[in-house]
């Protein structure tokens, strides 16, 4: 048989095999259609058990166990208060946490991820232990989900340890790390505060910690963050986030950081500083903001105009002066900001 | 045998071997893509319900400006805007760009939503036709209408990009139907890697035949039109196999114009959408790759397999042929505009895998395959080739074509199971076989037409006749 003829037969073979598999899948789907109905029936049967209307039974590692786990999580996430506690209790007695812990050993990332998220509802000792072990999972999303679940039950390891294990600020840059720190800060604010003070913590993790605390109203953090923003490298990627958090605190003690930021070579820093100046109401920096109306970057001009518009009559007067006398692009920035805000 | 006969025989065999080798290379590419796509599907996160996604992302999700270009959309504009405003996402604004419509698109939208002319300080970074006015109302703070002079879709998107104030923008077609949680799903890579992620594409599904109510697909059904059915298989191959695989290799070269989320600042940095090309969506993605590779900065351009958007596909040969010729032209324009990236180590995987894919599948593929359709039977008929050559040619064009389509369907069924029942699955399997006999050849003919138009430097979109998404 020649190579070309062999190619013909191989192609025929693999195409035939693919079609046979497809036919098998169609048949499987037909069967699934029937079992799908049975699954629906099973769901209907399980709901009263979870509602406490019927006594719970222990589960094996059967398909029914997966269904019950899935259904329990759906119901638990739907309700709050005593109903939620009742669902959690029924699901626990039926062995749902045990099944979820088992799923954390699955070879499928998707299954492990679901299990790590769902275990947030079951703060028992064995589940916490398993979630702590999942902080060493090979997949970053599973590790972060396990940390979020632990944090939501108040059983997270110390924040500094989490930073190291998850690589927060180095390999793990998800915005969900802010949610993670916020959850931890709700119970242990000192741990998150400790991250800001710790010089060994990467700046990305510090920024997430600062953002997590920025809505706390703890003004004692302002000098700390200001110092960080004043002393860090002007090219530090976390600097706009520091400034943005200072804007959230809206405390005038942030002025040195904002002033430095307005003169930064990075437009992202200048824009964040201009925005913070407006939110804090740093009228003393109004002249600097007016300069920034002529910035080469639109975001900076926009934020500077916005900040001046927030500063009452003093800011409006500067905008008016720029709209009348400045050169482009400052003139347009000022005129259009006033027009947009009804200050013209 | 005289020398010229031997030479002729050698030439015939060489050409046909070249045709067969190209076909094999294409199939090899597809098999590699299937493996990568399978692995990527295995790694994807579970499909969470919208309420869970909302809870997870509510505090951290970056703002998104939805850019909806509209040209002569008077009939559907209100329904489209209402469905966009009803999307589930914590922080978004809808920017409708009336691209110099000749009908009453602007009056309809302004009148219906009670909009008034407003001023807004906006960027002028990318070039576009002049903006005639901006319209908004305090009652609907998420809605802004940009009225501008006509300049085409890319021009309208550039205007929207300039006016947008969100960190991200989502480009879409005026008649794209977005899933209510499309933004929540597609934003995931931007949440996971906020600095590195430049763009994200999502799976586009075909809405022909499905029941649509108030801008939402409420009952997914297969179309009855054969051409629309064939395009289901084509879209599966394009999205589930090729884009997912290329994305997992970090060599994705196109994000569909029907739905894509981009980092606004990155898109501005590369000059926004290019004018003078019909493949502006591919062009933007390639420009992002190019600049970030040249800057030597780490970045990601991702694709998510979850369906985020529905679109109507052409059901007539004439319109489909025009669309395919245009797509071919767009791919060629982008390929030749950035040809220095091909196999250039400076551009890493994009240069080798992304551009290699375009070269094999879009540039050389249709030419060689059509050449094969003419030459192989002719040379075999003249007795210049043995039957083995004919069989090998049939293997690479028909049999392996069936294999690739069937394998994609297997991937879809095993990993996603989105076809509602066994009957639909059986129908699409039959279509996956049937498309190789007639449709595939026709599609290649359309692509040759695209090649011809490219060589003649033809510009413009032609007329895209759509049936529209009235409730069906």
């Amino acid at each position: 048989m020649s190579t070309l003829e062999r190619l013909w037969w191989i192609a025929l073979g693999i195409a035939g095999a693919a079609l046979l598999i497809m036919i098998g899948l169609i048949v499987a789907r037909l069967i699934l259609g029937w079992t799908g109905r049975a699954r629906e029936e099973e769901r209907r049967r399980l709901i009263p058990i979870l509602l406490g209307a019927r006594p719970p039974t222990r589960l094996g590692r059967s398909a029914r166990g997966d269904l019950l786990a899935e259904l329990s999580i759906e119901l638990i996430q739907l309700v709050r208060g005593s109903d939620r506690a009742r669902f959690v209790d029924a699901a626990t007695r039926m062995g749902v946490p045990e099944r979820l812990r088992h799923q954390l050993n699955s070879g499928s990332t998707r299954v492990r991820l679901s299990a790590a998220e769902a275990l947030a509802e079951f703060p028992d000792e064995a589940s916490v232990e398993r979630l702590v072990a999942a902080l060493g999972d090979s997949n970053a999303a599973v590790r972060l989900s396990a940390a979020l679940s632990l944090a939501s039950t108040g059983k997270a390891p110390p924040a500094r340890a989490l930073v190291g294990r998850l690589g927060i600020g180095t390999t793990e840059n998800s915005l969900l790390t802010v949610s993670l720190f916020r959850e931890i800060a709700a119970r242990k604010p000192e741990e998150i505060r400790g991250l800001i003070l710790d010089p060994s913590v990467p700046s990305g993790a510090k920024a997430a910690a600062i953002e997590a605390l920025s809505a706390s109203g703890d003004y004692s953090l302002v000098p700390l963050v200001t110092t960080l923003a004043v002393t860090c490298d002007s090219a530090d990627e976390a600097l706009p986030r520091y400034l943005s958090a200072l804007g959230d605190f809206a405390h005038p003690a942030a002025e040195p950081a904002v002033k430095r930021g307005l003169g930064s070579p990075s437009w992202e820093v200048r824009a964040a500083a201009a925005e913070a100046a407006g939110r804090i109401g740093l009228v003393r920096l109004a002249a600097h903001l007016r300069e920034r109306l002529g910035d080469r970057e639109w975001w900076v001009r926009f934020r500077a105009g916005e900040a001046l518009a927030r500063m009452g009559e003093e800011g409006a007067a500067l905008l008016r002066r720029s709209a009348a006398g400045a050169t482009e692009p400052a003139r347009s920035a000022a005129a259009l900001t006033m027009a947009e805000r009804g200050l013209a | 045998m005289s020398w010229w006969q031997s030479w002729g025989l050698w030439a015939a065999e060489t050409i046909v071997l070249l045709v067969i080798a190209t076909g094999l290379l294409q199939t090899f590419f597809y098999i590699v893509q299937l493996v990568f796509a399978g692995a990527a599907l295995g790694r994807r996160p579970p499909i969470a319900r919208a309420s869970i996604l909302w809870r997870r992302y509510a505090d951290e999700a970056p703002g998104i400006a939805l850019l909806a270009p509209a040209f002569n959309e008077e009939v559907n504009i209100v329904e489209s805007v209402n469905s966009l405003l009803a999307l589930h996402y914590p922080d978004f604004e809808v920017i409708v760009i009336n691209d110099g419509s000749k009908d009453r698109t602007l009056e309809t939208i302004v009148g219906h939503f009670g909009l008034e002319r407003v001023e807004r300080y906006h960027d002028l970074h990318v070039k576009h036709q002049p903006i005639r006015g901006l319209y908004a109302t305090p009652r609907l703070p998420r809605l802004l209408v940009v009225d501008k002079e006509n300049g085409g879709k890319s021009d309208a998107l550039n205007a929207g990009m300039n006016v947008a104030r969100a960190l991200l923008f989502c480009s879409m077609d005026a008649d794209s139907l977005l899933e209510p949680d499309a933004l929540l799903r597609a934003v995931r890579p931007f949440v996971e890697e906020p600095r590195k992620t430049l763009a994200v594409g999502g799976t586009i599904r075909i809405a022909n035949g499905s029941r649509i109510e108030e801008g939402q697909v409420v009952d997914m059904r297969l179309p009855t039109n054969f051409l629309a059915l064939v395009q289901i298989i084509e879209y599966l191959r394009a999205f589930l196999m090729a884009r997912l695989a290329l994305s997992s290799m970090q060599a994705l070269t196109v994000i569909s114009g029907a739905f894509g989320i981009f980092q606004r600042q990155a898109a501005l940095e590369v000059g926004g959408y290019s004018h003078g090309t019909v493949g502006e969506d591919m062009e933007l993605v390639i420009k992002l790759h190019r600049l970030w590779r040249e800057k030597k900065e780490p970045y990601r351009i991702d694709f998510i397999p979850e369906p985020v958007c529905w679109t109507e596909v052409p059901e007539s040969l004439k319109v489909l042929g025009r669309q395919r010729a245009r797509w071919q032209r767009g791919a060629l324009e982008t390929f030749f505009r950035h040809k220095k990236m091909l196999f250039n180590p400076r551009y890493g995987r994009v240069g080798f895998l992304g551009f290699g894919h375009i070269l094999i599948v879009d540039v050389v593929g249709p030419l060689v395959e059509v050449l094969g359709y003419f030459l192989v039977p002719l040379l075999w008929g003249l007795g210049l080739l043995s039957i083995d050559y004919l069989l090998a040619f049939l293997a690479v064009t028909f049999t392996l074509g069936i294999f690739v389509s069937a394998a994609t369907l297997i991937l879809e069924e095993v990993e996603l199971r989105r076809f509602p029942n066994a009957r639909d699955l059986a129908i699409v399997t039959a279509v996956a076989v049937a498309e190789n006999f007639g449709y595939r050849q026709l599609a290649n003919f359309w692509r040759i037409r695209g090649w011809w138009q490219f060589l003649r430097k033809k510009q413009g979109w032609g007329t895209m006749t759509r049936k529209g998404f009235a409730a069906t």
Side-chain angles (χ1 to χ4, degrees), chain A residues 189-203:
Chain A
E190 68 290 348
E191 278 194 16
I192 304 303
R193 202 185 152 91
L195 295 179
I196 304 170
L197 292 165
D198 188 340
S200 69
V201 170
S203 63

Side-chain angles (χ1 to χ4, degrees), chain A residues 2 8 11 15 29 32 74 77 110 114 117 173-175 179 182 237 297-299 301-302 340, chain B residues 41 44 46 49 52 56 60 121-123 165 191-192 194-195 264-265 388 391 413 417 419-421:
Chain A
S2 72
W8 164 250
R29 180 62 94 83
L32 262 178
E74 267 178 43
Q77 286 171 343
R110 202 160 58 246
S114 283
E117 283 173 1
N173 295 301
S174 171
L175 294 175
S179 303
R182 201 175 287 131
E237 286 181 357
E297 178 58 46
W298 176 82
W299 272 109
R301 300 196 295 274
F302 166 60
E340 183 177 343
Chain B
L41 282 173
R44 78 188 195 283
R49 286 193 308 280
I52 294 176
R56 194 181 298 159
E60 317 304 340
Y121 177 50
H122 61 79
D123 209 345
R165 284 178 181 174
V191 172
E192 287 174 355
R195 286 195 74 86
R264 178 179 173 272
Q265 200 60 32
D388 290 2
L391 287 178
E413 179 60 9
R417 205 173 292 158
F419 290 106
N421 53 51

Side-chain angles (χ1 to χ4, degrees), chain B residues 34-56:
Chain B
L34 280 165
V35 172
F36 271 83
L41 282 173
R43 284 195 307 268
R44 78 188 195 283
I47 298 177
R49 286 193 308 280
S51 59
I52 294 176
L53 287 173
W54 181 279
R55 209 179 315 150
R56 194 181 298 159

